[in-house]
Amino acid sequence: MSRVIRRATEWLGESLANRFSALALMITLVIVVPLGAVAYGIIHHLLSQKIEAELRNVVALGHYGLEQALRELNGDINSMARRSLVTNAIGDSEGRDAYLLPFLREFVAAEPRIAAISIHDYRGRAQITVGSGRLLEDEIQPLIEGVISGEKAISTDLRSNAGDTRLLIAAPIVFTPTRSVEGALSVEIDLPALFGRYFAGAPEHHRVRLLDGQGREVARTGDNTGEQNSISLELDESSGLKGYRIEIGVDSTVVYQSMSLLALGFVVTGLLTLGLANRLSVRAAERLTRGLRELSRAAREIEESGDSTRLYRLPIQGCDEIATLTLALNRMMVSVRGAHEALEARVEARSRQLAETQGRLAAILDSLRDVVYSFSPDFVSVLYISPSVTELTGSDMAQSPDSPFGLTSFIHPDEREAARKAYLQVLSEGYGEQRYRIVRTDGEIRWVRDRFHVVLDEEGTPLRIDGIVTDVTEKVMAEEEQARTETILNMKNRALEASCNGIVIADMTQPEAPIIYVNPAFERITGYSASEALGRNCRYLQGSDMDSPEVRALRHAIANERETQVVLRNFRKDGQPFWNELSVSPVRDPVSGKLTHYVGIQHDITARREAERQTYEWFVRLETIFTLSPDGFVSFDSNGRLAFANPAFERMSGFTVADIVGLTLEEFDERMRVLGDPAEPYTPAGVDLAENYQDSRRRHRRRTLPMLLPAPRVLSRSVRRVGSNNTAFVLYYRDVTRETEVDRMKSEFLSTAAHELRTPMASIMGFSELLLTRKYDENRTRDFLDTINRQSTRLTSLLNELLDLARIESRAAKDFQLVRQPLGAIVRDTVAAFMIPGDKRSINLELLGELPEVMVDAAKIQQSLVNVISNAFKYSPGGGCVELSSELQEDRIGLRVRDEGLGMTPEQCARAFERFYRADSSGNIPGTGLGLSLVKEIIEIHGGSVDLDSEAGVGTTLTLWLPVAPPIGDAAPAETQDQGAAAPVLENA
């Protein structure tokens, strides 16, 4: 192929005529080939559309018939599955053959499209089959199960057995009354036979196929096996064959036979056209280029003879462009001869000038310190080298035949390879320059600069390589020193620029010591740009604060040319003050020692000062909190030593801080163990600390510690680790004595209340059950009813007192009607209620002549007195005097009830006001244990108090203290006003 291309290229280059004929042939090809291709494409498109239309006409009728037949079969099968004859036969296993088999045979005979029909029970087993069924039961079973399970109303599938393809349609048999699926009806259809019925009449050379969703062939008609032109039509979803399509194709050789003949005609016509065009273009090119061939022949003769002075007279034919060119060539030959003679004369003159110039140049080169050299382009022979090479190298070098020139042996070994590559590279680039070191004969190392270039002859061939070598040792050393200096200066400048501290330099040799340099940190701290700061004195940052001690200290240091460090309050550009930690240092002239500059370093410590202030405030707050907190705090440092304990802990433990500071956790636990209750095991804090470290969920666990010293109390302790590495920890102690006591009282109250309520209820239920289940005489029945009544009264009294207490506590005395009234009338009315005729009990009254007025709810005070007097009588079973007296003390009046009864011990007195607590545990004295609790609540709501004094076996004295009402017109005491604020106050008319 390459040989053909080379031969064609040579043929085109032989003459202009060849190129002209080739161009004409290409133009013809460009016109003829696209026109032929467009015409062929149009005809091919029209023929394809015609073939597609014919195929659609052939397949349309069969496609419609097949879809309609499948839809009718689906409808008939679904309708048959719903007929009562079929649904009844599912349950009639014995007699169904008599009437169902003839019906199914008749149905199959009437429908030649159906190959077999089967009835399946609810388990999917075939009960009756009519027709030539080809499929196995396990192939049908999945489809039947899907219909019976209710997943599909009707289901279709395609199965193949022994090369025979069958369409399987299954429909559920539904029992209408219950709408339940009792079985299934399955039908096998010979799909290839059904397909062949509608497409058996396909034309010759046509093939019709039925393809499934994956493109596999299910049925076909026709025997065409060649290359196909085909179209496809999808079957409708209602036919039951979703995704199936009918494909019809025709043999391509038959279709495109006429197209092949047409294409052959196009090719023959095109070849004839190209041949004719080529012949005509060759003849035209030969006639057009005849004059040019004559010119070419003459030029070739001049080239071969080598005599440009010979005159040629070319014949001129016509007056076209070629004739004009021939005439111009003749005239040019005359001009060339004259120019050649003049040039020879000038060359001779220039040769004489060149000889003179070379002499002068040799003298100049001998006087130069630079080494000038010239060597051959093959790097073999040295053409010239100036005498100054001896001064440069220190040697009268002998030329080496294997090196470009004598300097090669003096090049430093580390740079010889780079120099060699530079010399070789100059041949391709034409010019080169390099700098390298040489080693003189005395061992001194010198730097030289070598510049060289290639000298070419007229044809562009390298003639020689000229160069000059200059000693640049002093320059290189100066550059290195300058580079080192610049590097150091750049590093210092970058350090200044990157510093987070503001740096300012002031020129002390100028008036007012102006700023001559500021770094970016100064701009960021002060808000002033460098242009705004340069040329000004630093005092502009001090604002009006010009006479502070720090400013005076700074002035004094500068006046004495000393360095110093002060903290100044300066002001930013926006007027915001900031704290500036300023360090200033003097800079002196190294020769004269005179002060020239001051360097100031700024450090914005505003955030630090603010943090210190906030830290101090937090410290004071925490110190106050720890000092005033009722809870105890004990902290241990990271070394495990006790570092702090607050006053609350000192009160709880009786220790002083001085006694326990520096103790380890084990020593501290040992001291706390001594204070604990021996009956309760003491758990060391180290246990909680270890659990806290191992399990973060126990971080806030509290442990209860019963303590006996310095006073009985119950403490709650928790441990929390603190610090960045969780090595320090804090012990938190809280006095939960009251909460513990309240929990105990609550438990006892619930237990007692349940007992007090259960006892009367048990009696009531027991006696009422006896009366309901048995018959007793009238006296026995009355005794039972008396007991029930008495227990009901006790239960009612207990509930009333509980409700009173609850109402008083929940409503906060809002039900109290506080009225200004004399206390004597309330007392006398209460005592009168106890004076029942025939009652042997008596009350000895020893009241003051006239009791003062009080602000009270009379009913509540009477209730309190009744409870107290009742207790005095109940707890005096042996009789004795009950005395009611009064006592006036400044702004309060006391009602004292004294009896000579059983009395109480100090322990009983301490619990007398607890709910349900009774001093008599025998049960012989009736009561609920709520009386004194109720009395205490009522009196305290009135702003009073209750005093109890009792001695076992001697008697009990109980005093109710009430505040005296102020004279009318005076302001009520603040305490009375507060106590009665929640209750309405009425004045007697």
Side-chain angles (χ1 to χ4, degrees), residues 371 388-394 407 438 440 446 448 469 471:
V371 177
S388 57
V389 68
T390 304
E391 181 181 355
L392 178 64
T393 62
L407 282 176
I438 64 171
R440 287 169 50 91
R446 307 289 292 180
V448 296
V469 178
D471 188 349

Side-chain angles (χ1 to χ4, degrees), residues 81-82 86-91 96 118-127 143-150 152-153 170-175 179-186:
R82 296 182 180 277
V86 176
T87 57
N88 293 335
I90 290 295
R96 61 189 173 197
S118 301
I119 304 295
H120 303 262
D121 60 10
Y122 70 96
R123 294 182 180 175
R125 297 174 300 186
Q127 303 297 316
L143 192 66
I144 300 300
E145 290 178 354
V147 171
I148 294 175
S149 62
K152 299 180 180 178
I173 299 175
V174 181
F175 189 58
R179 296 186 178 276
S180 61
V181 178
E182 300 296 335
L185 175 69
S186 66

Side-chain angles (χ1 to χ4, degrees), residues 40 42-60 203-207 224 227-233 247-260:
Y40 182 81
I42 294 173
I43 296 172
H44 182 274
H45 176 68
L46 294 175
L47 184 60
S48 298
Q49 287 185 334
K50 177 184 177 184
I51 294 170
E52 183 177 349
E54 291 178 355
L55 292 177
R56 289 186 181 277
N57 291 334
V58 171
V59 79
E204 186 180 1
H205 303 297
H206 286 68
R207 180 187 65 190
N224 180 25
E227 185 68 24
Q228 296 288 309
N229 277 23
S230 62
I231 63 169
S232 298
L233 296 179
E247 180 188 84
I248 182 170
V250 63
D251 194 340
S252 298
T253 57
V254 176
V255 172
Y256 294 112
Q257 184 176 6
S258 58
M259 288 296 297
S260 300

Side-chain angles (χ1 to χ4, degrees), residues 621-634 644-653 702 713-717 731-739:
R621 292 176 190 172
L622 290 176
E623 180 70 19
T624 304
I625 291 171
F626 286 139
T627 302
L628 300 179
S629 173
D631 301 328
F633 293 91
V634 180
F644 170 80
N646 69 335
F649 180 76
E650 292 180 323
R651 292 191 296 272
M652 291 178 182
S653 62
R702 296 181 181 275
R713 57 168 52 93
V714 180
L715 300 181
S716 172
R717 183 188 68 200
L731 303 182
Y732 168 69
Y733 290 92
R734 184 180 180 188
D735 191 343
V736 293
T737 306
R738 177 173 175 76
E739 289 87 338

